[in-house]
Amino acid sequence: QRVGEYISPSCGEVENLSIPAAAAGYTWRKVNSLDAAGMSGLDGLYIRQCQGTYSKRAAVDTAVAAGMALVLDTDGFKSGNGAGDQQGYLDGSQLPGTPAVMFTRDGGCNPDYRLAVGSPIVTGPGGTLTDDSLDVGGPGGEGGFCSFFGGTPAATLPTGIIPFFTEPDGTYVTALGYSFGGGKVVATSTQMGYDYAYTPIEYAYAGAKTFYINAMAWA
């Protein structure tokens, strides 16, 4: 299966997913533009968006409706990660199918996270995820950069949305999946698009790779 990856220039020189994708049996290619030509022939697409929330793309929505798998990860911030820069949250109006979800900062940058009960991405071609896989700095969370940057309230999750990861108390869902037309979408808001967070010296690096690959396999 052919999987593309679009990384926004603001992510810096972040490591792409070509090696773990190939290990999972995918044929990976770089995507330079989120239009019909750029996505031609793809079975799946990763979008990693930094410093600027993902803007709705009609061509992406059309491709998903036609059967393409989409794994979308955006930090949800227009610049930086400080209190003054908390704008541009990822919300459902930007996603294929416009589900009623809103990733706010309230669900992000907690010390540790939990796999949702029944999460379909616990195991897959990327390996096995645990409750500690995407913790900040290590099991239980200590030091290091954030992994998840936002979450959507679990209590208002629309029918058909499947939670993948949550806050420790389950109040916010930090990664989710759903079907749209003939395809599926995985949406999350993390810091793992940045080169300083998605790097081997960070605890969540290995877990992020597993998450990305298992998410694509589900989609």
Side-chain angles (χ1 to χ4, degrees):
Q1 292 183 308
R2 298 156 296 185
V3 172
E5 183 175 16
Y6 172 85
I7 302 176
S8 68
S10 52
C11 290
E13 296 299 320
V14 66
E15 178 185 312
N16 63 48
L17 297 171
S18 59
I19 293 176
Y26 298 126
T27 298
W28 178 95
R29 85 163 192 245
K30 180 181 180 181
V31 172
N32 294 311
S33 59
L34 295 175
D35 54 20
M39 296 181 294
S40 177
L42 292 180
D43 300 299
L45 173 66
Y46 289 102
I47 297 177
R48 298 165 77 184
Q49 175 75 45
C50 301
Q51 288 192 18
T53 302
Y54 170 76
S55 298
K56 193 173 186 66
R57 304 289 208 285
V60 173
D61 292 14
T62 298
V64 173
M68 187 183 76
L70 172 65
V71 177
L72 171 64
D73 182 12
T74 172
D75 68 352
F77 293 84
K78 293 184 178 178
S79 63
N81 61 5
D85 299 312
Q86 297 180 24
Q87 40 186 326
Y89 293 127
L90 175 65
D91 69 78
S93 67
Q94 299 156 307
L95 299 172
T98 62
V101 297
M102 169 70 83
F103 285 81
T104 70
R105 187 65 183 268
D106 293 332
C109 211
N110 285 293
D112 64 332
Y113 298 92
R114 294 288 182 267
L115 282 157
V117 175
S119 175
I121 63 167
V122 175
T123 59
T128 299
L129 290 166
T130 71
D131 287 345
D132 296 325
S133 294
L134 292 171
D135 285 355
V136 177
E142 191 172 328
F145 288 104
C146 303
S147 52
F148 293 110
F149 243 177
T152 188
T156 60
L157 211 61
T159 300
I161 302 289
I162 302 172
F164 291 171
F165 265 91
T166 72
E167 280 190 308
D169 63 3
T171 305
Y172 282 83
V173 174
T174 54
L176 55 82
Y178 65 94
S179 297
F180 174 63
K184 290 183 179 179
V185 177
V186 175
T188 189
S189 180
T190 83
Q191 194 170 217
M192 302 308 294
Y194 289 97
D195 50 7
Y196 53 76
Y198 187 77
T199 176
I201 65 172
E202 288 295 314
Y203 176 78
Y205 170 76
K209 287 194 287 186
T210 300
F211 168 79
Y212 285 133
I213 297 302
N214 287 2
M216 181 59 72
W218 173 86

